[in-house]
Amino acid sequence: ENVLLFLGRLVEKKGLLYLIKAMLEIVSKNPNTELIICGDGPLRKELEHLVKKMCLEKFVRFTGYVTGREKIEYLSLSDILIVPSIVTQSGDTEGLPVVILEGLTAGKPIIASDVGGVRDVVRIGWNGFLVKQKNSNQIAEKVLELINRKDLRINFSKNALITAKEYDWKVIGKKYATIIKSIMR
């Protein structure tokens, strides 16, 4: 079984609608795939209804809000973290979603939309893939590529752990200290 994970509030800018739509293609080609959606928010009922309408109840599970400990458990049991963020019509979007750093720290390959600061952390072909926002077909394509290529998943996982070290508080703290010292001179 392949476990896909979404972690976040169920709001428009998270782009979960497009991941759910991608599940149709994903499960048609690999029915041993499950999407776990961890989080809650104003769009939950609407998204649950969409899953039912698309006959995906067998493949998509909503957990509701999860605690920090539960989040770690879901990250550890998942194979791929998906962050399908979008820029809304009003211009609302994400900067750099913290969940990406959490996923990298857990050694998970990331598939994320190329919005906000995501490109700074998710490096195409190194620790994950970037897809166009609102593009369910691209999400499905990249998920299936990772499902079908275990070697690539393993490689991305190793590189995710390397990337995560660059964002460790000790490393960031030293960088800030260097910048502040250079300004003070």
Side-chain angles (χ1 to χ4, degrees):
E1 191 172 285
N2 304 291
V3 179
L4 312 178
L5 182 65
F6 170 89
L7 282 166
R9 290 222 354 107
L10 306 186
V11 294
E12 184 185 5
K13 73 180 176 181
K14 297 295 185 173
L16 187 53
L17 166 71
Y18 303 96
L19 174 53
I20 291 170
K21 288 181 178 180
M23 284 300 289
L24 266 182
E25 184 177 345
I26 293 166
V27 299
S28 75
K29 294 184 177 161
N30 195 316
N32 292 325
T33 304
E34 178 184 23
L35 169 61
I36 300 174
I37 298 171
C38 296
D40 212 344
L43 294 182
R44 181 169 179 172
K45 293 267 188 253
E46 181 181 325
L47 294 169
E48 287 175 331
H49 179 70
L50 177 65
V51 165
K52 190 172 189 165
K53 182 179 170 187
M54 295 173 76
C55 301
L56 289 170
E57 302 103 307
K58 180 180 171 189
F59 307 101
V60 178
R61 179 166 40 118
F62 289 83
T63 67
Y65 176 79
V66 294
T67 64
R69 182 110 183 98
E70 291 169 318
K71 188 189 297 187
I72 291 167
E73 289 171 8
Y74 280 112
L75 275 165
S76 70
L77 72 82
S78 68
D79 297 299
I80 304 167
L81 178 67
I82 305 175
V83 186
S85 306
I86 66 167
V87 179
T88 67
Q89 214 166 17
S90 67
D92 190 17
T93 193
E94 307 213 69
L96 172 60
V98 173
V99 71
I100 289 179
L101 298 176
E102 293 169 332
L104 294 170
T105 301
K108 299 302 164 186
I110 311 284
I111 297 173
S113 297
D114 191 5
V115 298
V118 174
R119 174 177 287 275
D120 296 334
V121 181
V122 177
R123 298 179 195 129
I124 301 168
W126 167 256
N127 57 17
F129 289 120
L130 293 175
V131 296
K132 291 180 185 169
Q133 66 158 333
K134 302 179 183 178
N135 193 320
S136 299
N137 292 334
Q138 263 195 350
I139 294 169
E141 175 189 315
K142 295 305 179 187
V143 166
L144 290 166
E145 184 174 347
L146 283 174
I147 285 172
N148 295 326
R149 293 202 42 214
K150 187 175 181 181
D151 62 316
L152 191 59
R153 263 195 343 262
I154 291 168
N155 213 23
F156 280 10
S157 292
K158 289 177 186 174
N159 295 337
L161 293 169
I162 292 168
T163 305
K165 289 178 184 173
E166 296 172 29
Y167 294 90
D168 181 85
W169 281 112
K170 290 177 186 174
V171 173
I172 299 294
K174 286 180 185 176
K175 288 180 181 178
Y176 273 115
T178 302
I179 291 168
I180 291 169
K181 285 177 186 174
S182 71
I183 293 171
M184 300 299 246
R185 290 184 191 152

